[in-house]
Amino acid sequence: MNNNIRILPFAVSKKILLAGVCSGLLIAAPNAFSANWIMLQGTEKPGIAPPVKLWGFIQPTYQKDFSSSYKGKYVPPKLIGPNLDTQSSFNIMRARIGVRGAPFFLDDKVNYFILTEFGDNAMTDGGRYGSYRPTVTDASVTLNYIKGARIRLGLFKYPGAEEGLQGIGSLNYINYTDVTNQLLLERFPDAGDKNIPPQSVPDANMNAFSNPATGFRDVGVQVFDAFDVGKWEHTYAVMLGNGSGVRMSDGNASKDVYLYWSSAYLFDKKNKGPMSPSVKMFSWYQSGKRTNAYNTAQEQDRKRYGAGVTYLKKPYRVTAEYMWGKGMIYQGANNPQTLFNDYKANGGYIEGGWFIPNTKWELDLRYDRYQRNVDLPTQTRFSTWTAGVQYHFTPKTRVTLDYAMRHYSADAVAQNNQLQDVGGRLALQVTAIF
């Protein structure tokens, strides 16, 4: 998946440029909205949280891909997921229902969070060798007894990149950026999963992974908390996890380490909800090992890290983030056997939105750039502009229309022949939260 237009690799100058943009946003931001996802998802408000709070959302979705085939064959970027067997599809992308709360009336320092997924996506679709199966995406308990060191145990979103950590209801685009999708939305192959060459439609089925994607989640234990220092709120999280995503069992004896820090300047300390007026800077790191599904005697190191800033002052919103990775660099939904590698990748995105005053309309624009195998002579580049519009019927119900203009390229001739015909993608989605 690469660009028709050759763009210079992400060098030091690109990193300096992005850092400058982030710094400029911080200087210019008098009022902003940003959420402390670590606290919002891991804790309940003491004294007022109910024992049982039922909640969830549904996202009916339609997508149409306008890419052309190469010699009658298609690769995954030209097909609609999760099955990757068509260029247009209606789908229930997500349908989640859960419960959360503080179950003990006499002691509200114990919280719980449970969420299940019934939609058809990378977490519930078994790919070429599996089938659709609803799954538990979150099941955790938080103990709030130690001041400065809350403890969360179970299955939940690991502390990490903003796009993966934030709540689905707050996502302003239908599809993830290429850098988040490929670098962080991890897939796990089984020994029977084989690489699949380009296929013709309608007989294509390019999803060769039989196990679910992580959904930016892991099973483990996390120590975390937030501290107020004047108008600043500082948040940390340290997690030890299996490194196996939503799968309950561990794949090896090694454990993944997750580190997170954010500092947010609060303009209204009384409002710490999802729309808290603030400017947030954050950084994160994760490291672990993966056992080679095709040779269980081998283990492969996997590292990811990044930093970013969120800013929103109505009627404007801006987010920027940059990330790097080494090892287990994703090569495509049809190439599970190539996943066990020690390659490097990097990329980032910057996005913004404008809430049209005195209306329910919102206009969005995002640019994301990803380059994988940067240490090899056969690099692959992904560049995407996404233009979107949202109409908010109510604070919890909206319709989103996105159009992605994609430019992909590769140094390898055979791969570039397929990627140069990757075209635009239209996506329409309704989000209803309850």
Side-chain angles (χ1 to χ4, degrees):
M1 294 140 280
N2 288 304
N3 305 353
N4 298 333
I5 301 173
R6 288 297 301 271
I7 301 177
L8 292 177
F10 282 116
V12 175
S13 60
K14 294 278 180 109
K15 300 174 185 177
I16 294 175
L17 176 62
L18 183 58
V21 170
C22 295
S23 300
L25 292 176
L26 290 174
I27 295 172
N31 265 13
F33 296 80
S34 93
N36 188 333
W37 302 113
I38 299 292
M39 299 300 292
L40 287 174
Q41 297 172 2
T43 65
E44 302 292 333
K45 292 184 178 180
I48 62 174
V52 178
K53 180 181 179 180
L54 183 69
W55 64 288
F57 56 88
I58 184 171
Q59 290 183 317
T61 308
Y62 172 78
Q63 297 197 67
K64 168 65 178 177
D65 195 296
F66 296 94
S67 302
S68 300
S69 67
Y70 177 72
K71 295 185 177 180
K73 305 293 184 179
Y74 293 85
V75 289
K78 302 176 181 180
L79 301 168
I80 304 299
N83 297 324
L84 299 172
D85 58 2
T86 182
Q87 286 195 293
S88 65
S89 178
F90 288 98
N91 187 23
I92 304 299
M93 192 172 184
R94 299 181 185 93
R96 298 182 186 175
I97 184 170
V99 292
R100 61 184 300 177
F104 305 111
F105 291 102
L106 299 179
D107 187 353
D108 61 3
K109 292 184 178 181
V110 178
N111 310 151
Y112 72 96
F113 185 107
I114 300 173
L115 187 62
T116 55
E117 173 66 274
F118 292 90
D120 189 17
N121 53 55
M123 284 195 294
T124 60
D125 188 271
R128 188 175 182 87
Y129 304 100
S131 59
Y132 163 81
R133 50 180 181 269
T135 187
V136 174
T137 66
D138 300 80
S140 70
V141 173
T142 300
L143 306 177
N144 302 284
Y145 291 97
I146 304 175
K147 184 178 181 180
R150 305 171 192 263
I151 301 174
R152 191 179 187 188
L153 308 98
L155 169 64
F156 50 91
K157 281 191 173 183
Y158 56 70
E162 181 75 6
E163 197 175 6
L165 187 58
Q166 68 186 118
I168 293 296
S170 68
L171 289 176
N172 292 290
Y173 304 89
I174 296 171
N175 292 306
Y176 292 118
T177 60
D178 278 322
V179 60
T180 298
N181 180 38
Q182 296 196 45
L183 200 58
L184 299 180
L185 192 55
E186 191 176 2
R187 284 82 166 175
F188 301 97
D190 278 337
D193 295 347
K194 306 297 183 183
N195 292 342
I196 304 172
Q199 301 286 312
S200 60
V201 172
D203 298 323
N205 188 340
M206 300 296 289
N207 185 359
F209 287 85
S210 56
N211 285 315
T214 61
F216 313 107
R217 290 163 167 82
D218 200 3
V219 178
V221 56
Q222 174 179 275
V223 179
F224 70 103
D225 212 338
F227 304 89
D228 288 345
V229 181
K231 287 190 174 183
W232 287 89
E233 181 185 53
H234 304 291
T235 304
Y236 83 93
V238 178
M239 178 179 176
L240 196 64
N242 286 339
S244 297
V246 295
R247 300 180 300 171
M248 300 299 180
S249 60
D250 199 349
N252 53 38
S254 301
K255 295 293 179 282
D256 278 31
V257 175
Y258 304 87
L259 305 176
Y260 179 91
W261 180 272
S262 71
S263 293
Y265 185 80
L266 306 176
F267 292 92
D268 181 3
K269 293 186 64 174
K270 297 180 180 179
N271 179 5
K272 291 188 178 182
M275 298 297 284
S276 173
S278 66
V279 179
K280 183 177 71 174
M281 298 167 289
F282 60 92
S283 61
W284 52 272
Y285 172 87
Q286 53 185 255
S287 178
K289 293 181 180 293
R290 301 293 181 266
T291 299
N292 190 331
Y294 305 98
N295 182 359
T296 56
Q298 296 181 354
E299 285 192 340
Q300 173 61 53
D301 291 334
R302 179 184 182 274
K303 293 183 179 180
R304 304 289 188 268
Y305 53 100
V309 59
T310 62
Y311 161 63
L312 170 73
K313 179 188 176 183
K314 281 193 172 181
Y316 303 108
R317 178 198 75 249
V318 179
T319 305
E321 186 170 9
Y322 198 93
M323 59 191 80
W324 298 262
K326 184 177 186 295
M328 300 296 291
I329 299 302
Y330 183 69
Q331 303 294 310
N334 58 320
N335 294 312
Q337 291 180 321
T338 62
L339 183 57
F340 297 92
N341 60 65
D342 199 36
Y343 304 155
K344 296 178 181 179
N346 55 48
Y349 66 90
I350 183 167
E351 69 85 24
W354 177 45
F355 300 86
I356 301 177
N358 303 316
T359 75
K360 296 183 178 182
W361 293 94
E362 176 185 349
L363 302 180
D364 301 305
L365 183 65
R366 180 180 72 186
Y367 175 74
D368 67 273
R369 182 89 169 96
Y370 177 60
Q371 181 171 283
R372 73 185 184 202
N373 307 341
V374 296
D375 50 340
L376 300 176
T378 53
Q379 299 177 7
T380 307
R381 293 160 294 276
F382 309 77
S383 177
T384 303
W385 284 97
T386 303
V389 58
Q390 300 185 71
Y391 183 81
H392 299 266
F393 296 100
T394 72
K396 293 187 176 182
T397 305
R398 70 180 187 271
V399 60
T400 304
L401 178 66
D402 288 344
Y403 186 79
M405 296 157 283
R406 302 172 295 169
H407 302 282
Y408 296 169
S409 67
D411 291 336
V413 175
Q415 188 178 16
N416 191 62
N417 287 339
Q418 285 286 349
L419 294 178
Q420 65 183 354
D421 293 320
V422 171
R425 175 169 290 182
L426 181 72
L428 178 67
Q429 183 178 83
V430 172
T431 299
I433 303 171
F434 62 89

